[in-house]
Amino acid sequence: MAQTSVNAARQIPLTCSGHTRPVVDLQYSSVTADGSYYLISACKDGNPILRDGKTGDWIGTFLGHKGAVWGARLSKDAAKAVTGSADFTAKVWDTYSGEILHSFTHGHIVRCVDFSADGSKIVTGGHEKKLRIFDLKQPTEEPVILEGHTATIKAVLWDHLNEVIISASDDKTVKVWDTSSLSVIKEISTEQPPTSLGLTIDGQSIAITFGKTIQFWDVKSYELKKSFDMEYEVSSVSLHPDHSRFVVGGTSDLWVRIYDYETGKELEVYKGHHGPVHTVSYSPDGEIYATGSEDGTIRLWLTIPGRSFGLWQPRREDSDAEN
C-alpha cells in the first residue's frame, strides 16, 4: 500500500491550451542535437499538437484526422510524428512542415502507435486486436501482422534497447514480442485491464498501471522490481529519470500526485486540473513533467517547485525573502 503524506508543496503550473476535448496521450521526445526537446499530445478533438517541451509553446497542429486521436508519438530525432485515430487510420507526419507523409488504413479504431529506433518503421494496435508493423521505406507493402491478443490493444511501445515490441490489452495481458521471430517471448498477466504502458526514460524499466496498481518491471529479466497499491484508480504513471520519484494520474481524480520510488510515500499533491488526469510524462531532463486531462488542457509542472527554469522565474517577493 502506498503511504500518504499531508505535506503538499505549492506551485502554479503552466497551462497549455489549444485542445477542445479531453487530452488522452502525451509524449516527450528525446533531447535533440541542439539540446531542445518536444511534447506531442493526442486528443479526442482529432488534432494532435506539437509543442516546445520546455515552455509548452505551440509549434503546430497536425490537421487531417477525422476522428478522435488516441495515440501520438515522436521519432527519436523528433523529425516525424505518428498518430492513431478513431477514423481507422494511423498517420505519419513531417514535424517541420506538418504534412502527412503516410496514411495507413485499418479495419477499426487505432488506439496506439510507436516508432522503431531508426524511425523507419511504425507499429500500431487497436480494436482489431492485432499489431501491425509498417515499413515506411516501402509504405505500399502489406504490413507484418502480430496476432495473439484477444481484446482491444490499448498501448504499444517499441523497446529500442532490446528491439522488442511490448503491447498491453484489455485481455489483461502485456505481451513482449521478439521483432526477429515475431513471437511472444514474455507475457505478464494483470488483474484488471491495463490503463497505461510505458518505458522509463533510461529504457531500463517497463511501467504498467491497472486498477489501483502501479508496477515497474525490469526490461531485461522481465522481473517485477516494484509494485504499489494506490487508494484510487490509476490512469498513468511516469518515473523520474533519476528513479527517485514518480508522478501519477487518476481516472476519476483531479489531483496530480508525486511519490517516492523507494518507499511509495506520497511526497507532493497538486490541484490544477478540472477533470481526471488521463496521462502524465516526465521530460527527458527531469526538470518538469506534463499532465493531460479530461478538461482539455495540458499543464506543465516543475519537479522542484520554486526553481528557475524556462518560463518559471522566482517571484520578486520570493527572491527578496531569500536575501
Side-chain angles (χ1 to χ4, degrees), residues 37-321:
Y37 53 82
Y38 302 91
L39 177 67
I40 192 169
S41 55
C43 181
K44 290 184 181 180
D45 62 13
N47 299 319
I49 291 179
L50 183 68
R51 302 177 187 273
D52 181 292
K54 294 183 179 180
T55 66
D57 288 345
W58 178 88
I59 294 175
T61 302
F62 299 107
L63 301 175
H65 279 299
K66 297 180 180 178
V69 174
W70 287 99
R73 291 290 181 268
L74 292 165
S75 59
K76 198 170 185 179
D77 60 4
K80 295 192 290 288
V82 60
T83 52
S85 173
D87 65 8
F88 294 15
T89 70
K91 298 184 187 296
V92 179
W93 312 77
D94 183 312
T95 58
Y96 296 98
S97 67
E99 295 179 354
I100 298 173
L101 299 175
H102 309 286
S103 185
F104 300 105
T105 301
H106 293 61
H108 213 306
I109 293 170
V110 182
R111 288 295 302 259
C112 49
V113 290
D114 203 6
F115 279 103
S116 62
D118 63 1
S120 67
K121 297 178 181 179
I122 63 168
V123 60
T124 68
H127 285 228
E128 291 181 277
K129 311 168 190 175
K130 303 175 182 178
L131 294 172
R132 286 181 169 85
I133 301 174
F134 294 91
D135 189 336
L136 303 184
K137 295 179 179 178
Q138 303 178 72
T140 60
E141 296 293 319
E142 288 296 313
V144 173
I145 297 178
L146 305 179
E147 296 185 89
H149 282 298
T150 59
T152 297
I153 299 172
K154 291 288 186 64
V156 66
L157 59 86
W158 203 310
D159 178 355
H160 297 168
L161 293 180
N162 300 291
E163 271 304 305
V164 297
I165 291 171
I166 307 172
S167 56
S169 168
D170 279 347
D171 63 14
K172 301 180 184 179
T173 67
V174 173
K175 297 182 186 293
V176 181
W177 308 78
D178 181 87
T179 54
S180 298
S181 65
L182 305 178
S183 60
V184 176
I185 58 174
K186 175 68 177 181
E187 181 173 302
I188 298 170
S189 296
T190 58
E191 296 176 3
Q192 298 181 52
T195 51
S196 72
L197 170 72
L199 276 175
T200 54
I201 292 171
D202 60 7
Q204 299 301 312
S205 299
I206 306 165
I208 305 170
T209 63
F210 57 91
K212 298 180 179 180
T213 301
I214 298 169
Q215 293 183 342
F216 296 97
W217 295 74
D218 184 89
V219 296
K220 293 183 178 179
S221 65
Y222 299 112
E223 294 181 353
L224 182 62
K225 297 168 70 173
K226 291 280 186 177
S227 184
F228 302 98
D229 293 324
M230 301 294 147
E231 297 179 351
Y232 52 91
E233 300 287 328
V234 178
S235 61
S236 182
V237 66
S238 182
L239 182 64
H240 190 275
D242 69 6
H243 289 213
S244 64
R245 57 180 58 200
F246 57 92
V247 56
V248 181
T251 58
S252 59
D253 193 18
L254 308 185
W255 299 84
V256 177
R257 302 174 189 273
I258 310 296
Y259 295 89
D260 182 275
Y261 178 70
E262 290 300 322
T263 65
K265 180 181 179 181
E266 185 180 88
L267 301 176
E268 302 164 29
V269 56
Y270 301 110
K271 176 70 179 296
H273 284 293
H274 301 290
V277 179
H278 294 310
T279 176
V280 299
S281 180
Y282 271 107
S283 62
D285 58 11
E287 294 283 356
I288 56 179
Y289 54 94
T291 57
S293 169
E294 180 75 16
D295 65 17
T297 68
I298 298 166
R299 297 176 192 264
L300 304 184
W301 311 77
L302 281 173
T303 298
I304 303 176
R307 184 172 183 174
S308 176
F309 178 79
L311 295 181
W312 287 272
Q313 298 297 330
R315 295 177 301 175
R316 183 179 299 275
E317 56 266 32
D318 293 338
S319 300
D320 293 341

